[in-house]
Amino acid sequence: MHPPGADIVLVRHGEIGTKSEQVRRSMEERLATNLSALLADRGVDGSVERERTRLFVHTDEPSAAVEAATDTFGVVSASAAVRTEPTLDAICEGLAEIARERFDGGTFAVDARRAGQQSAHDFSSEDIESDGGAAVWAAIEAAGGDPAVDLDEPDLTFHVECRREVAYLFLDKQAGPGGLPVGTQESVVVLLSGGIDSPVAAWKLLKRGCPVVPVYVDLGAYGGPDHRARALSTVETLASYVPNFDLSVRIADGGDVVERLSAELDARRMLALRRFMLAVGARIAERTDAVGVATGEAIGQKSSQTSANLAVTDAAVDCPVFRPNLTADKADITQLAREIGTFEASTIPTGCNRVAPSLPETNADLHALREREPDDLFERARAVAERAEVVARDR
């Protein structure tokens, strides 16, 4: 809910404010750039203004601007607001007007924050809450309502943020993803199968400021067009959060390798395949100046993801392997997939489960695996990575 006549959106960040002055300024600029790009991509008319600890979106589409802001990584919350003079009388008058238009019963409270030096105003935040509450009460009574105050769990809260030059009045704070602005960290290759886990891992990396380079390893006959389609669909969803970043997908043809591993290995073939995929990702990371490779794996979620097996697969590459879901429960990963919009595409049925052996290895020995896997596995991974097809995002 936003107040009548709202024409500005307050955008709050959190962790950015803990950085040094130089880093904070740089991150705020990146956040403003990313938010402007998201507004433009969604066709929302609005201009972004940056001040210390806040961004402001000037717009005639406050609801749409709030939605865009709360999808922008680095944003903690956003509120559609109206502005008034930073005087106690003007604030009380503004609160009364909002009450007349938006209060429809129940309890209320006034929550005020007065920013800046104490000398900037001749009143305190407590004065705003007391006098503002009285103005809201009187407005509700005059409209024939039955006002009631609840300072702990009100049905409607009237918020005031009073600064030196202007006061902002708003009714709610819509939560954003938090984290850091994308582009403030180095990029990471993400191995995307299109299943539930890997798109969530990519989203978590974006939340921590890392641009991602999506890599899909085509399993040939063991995957099929639906397997590829769901991967590309999840990337489209991820790209909608960061329209000013290139999320072109690298598609690496691993069909022949999957066929060979399925024919020559039994219990350990999934581990050899994971090592092959990591090697493909590592080579693409080299080619794209990414700092490492990420997967959607979580400890113990599958037989190939036991702590022992993860250690064996990581030994295939020299670069860092990031696992944003490492300690997450499957239910939490699934819930986040629903919230970010990748779940539906991720659950398209495919035949990729045919790769897994009936009795998989759960406590692999690196030396034993190296003896069984093809001698040229990593040469083939490098060659597959070199030939990877780049599929640009549909716009």
Side-chain angles (χ1 to χ4, degrees):
M1 181 189 298
H2 57 75
D7 62 356
I8 195 167
V9 173
L10 280 66
V11 181
R12 306 171 188 87
H13 56 70
E15 193 171 340
I16 296 173
T18 67
K19 308 299 182 183
S20 68
E21 183 71 18
Q22 182 178 0
V23 173
R24 180 193 57 76
R25 188 183 307 112
S26 175
M27 286 190 171
E28 286 181 344
E29 289 173 353
R30 169 51 67 181
L31 182 60
T33 297
N34 293 350
L35 174 53
S36 294
L38 197 55
L39 291 167
D41 188 66
R42 297 185 179 184
V44 180
D45 186 17
S47 61
V48 180
E49 175 189 3
R50 181 177 66 86
E51 290 187 14
R52 184 181 176 86
T53 75
R54 289 284 187 274
L55 299 182
F56 298 92
V57 181
H58 300 270
T59 181
D60 292 329
E61 303 175 70
S63 295
V66 167
E67 288 185 14
T70 53
D71 278 342
T72 303
F73 298 104
V75 170
V76 171
S77 66
S79 303
V82 292
R83 290 167 286 183
T84 189
E85 293 294 320
T87 66
L88 194 54
D89 286 345
I91 292 170
C92 290
E93 183 178 340
L95 289 173
E97 176 63 25
I98 295 172
R100 285 189 286 269
E101 295 290 331
R102 292 291 186 260
F103 184 81
D104 59 358
T107 59
F108 78 90
V110 176
D111 180 54
R113 177 178 180 270
R114 190 182 59 81
Q117 295 180 346
Q118 190 171 1
S119 59
H121 307 94
D122 60 359
F123 54 88
S124 66
S125 57
E126 290 79 8
D127 292 331
I128 298 174
E129 291 173 348
S130 176
D131 289 15
V136 170
W137 183 288
I140 294 171
E141 276 194 330
D146 184 20
V149 172
D150 186 340
L151 300 181
D152 296 320
E153 296 183 359
D155 296 309
L156 182 62
T157 301
F158 296 81
H159 297 274
V160 180
E161 184 171 309
C162 184
R163 295 184 165 229
R164 176 183 289 273
E165 302 296 335
V166 63
Y168 301 93
L169 314 182
F170 53 96
L171 292 173
D172 60 13
K173 297 179 181 180
Q174 297 293 320
L180 299 173
V182 180
T184 58
Q185 302 295 311
E186 298 301 318
S187 61
V188 176
V189 163
V190 180
L191 295 175
L192 273 170
S193 67
I196 293 173
D197 303 320
S198 54
V200 169
W203 187 90
K204 289 180 176 180
L205 283 168
L206 291 169
K207 178 180 173 178
R208 295 308 303 167
C210 299
V212 298
V213 181
V215 173
Y216 169 73
V217 178
D218 195 311
L219 304 180
Y222 287 85
D226 287 341
H227 193 257
R228 176 187 289 207
R230 75 178 188 178
L232 295 178
S233 180
T234 60
V235 172
E236 282 297 303
T237 300
L238 293 170
S240 70
Y241 289 94
V242 286
N244 52 326
F245 288 86
D246 181 10
L247 263 67
S248 298
V249 185
R250 271 72 176 174
I251 298 180
D253 184 3
D256 291 345
V257 172
V258 176
E259 291 281 359
R260 183 176 175 184
L261 294 177
S262 297
E264 297 181 6
L265 279 76
D266 189 10
R268 300 184 181 97
R269 67 170 175 252
M270 282 303 298
L271 300 181
L273 178 58
R274 296 302 298 175
R275 284 162 59 81
F276 166 77
M277 289 178 171
L278 284 176
V280 170
R283 177 53 185 154
I284 292 176
E286 291 177 14
R287 292 172 59 87
T288 58
D289 294 324
V291 297
V293 182
T295 77
E297 295 166 309
I299 292 177
Q301 188 184 124
K302 295 181 179 179
S303 59
S304 62
Q305 298 173 26
T306 63
S307 57
N309 285 351
L310 292 179
V312 167
T313 55
D314 280 9
V317 297
D318 294 327
C319 67
V321 179
F322 301 98
R323 292 186 173 91
N325 295 332
L326 186 66
T327 61
D329 292 340
K330 183 67 174 186
D332 294 333
I333 297 171
T334 301
Q335 179 58 34
L336 184 52
R338 294 181 186 276
E339 292 172 5
I340 67 178
T342 58
F343 177 81
E344 184 174 353
S346 293
T347 52
I348 296 173
T350 66
C352 58
N353 59 335
R354 293 185 296 120
V355 180
S358 56
L359 295 172
E361 174 66 70
T362 59
N363 190 25
D365 175 78
L366 180 58
H367 178 71
L369 179 58
R370 282 172 171 166
E371 285 188 338
R372 294 294 307 276
E373 68 188 7
D375 292 338
D376 64 347
L377 184 66
F378 299 119
E379 293 177 14
R380 299 187 70 170
R382 189 177 185 87
V384 165
E386 298 284 352
R387 299 193 303 268
E389 174 191 0
V390 180
V391 178
R393 175 195 172 199
D394 293 333
R395 285 186 175 273

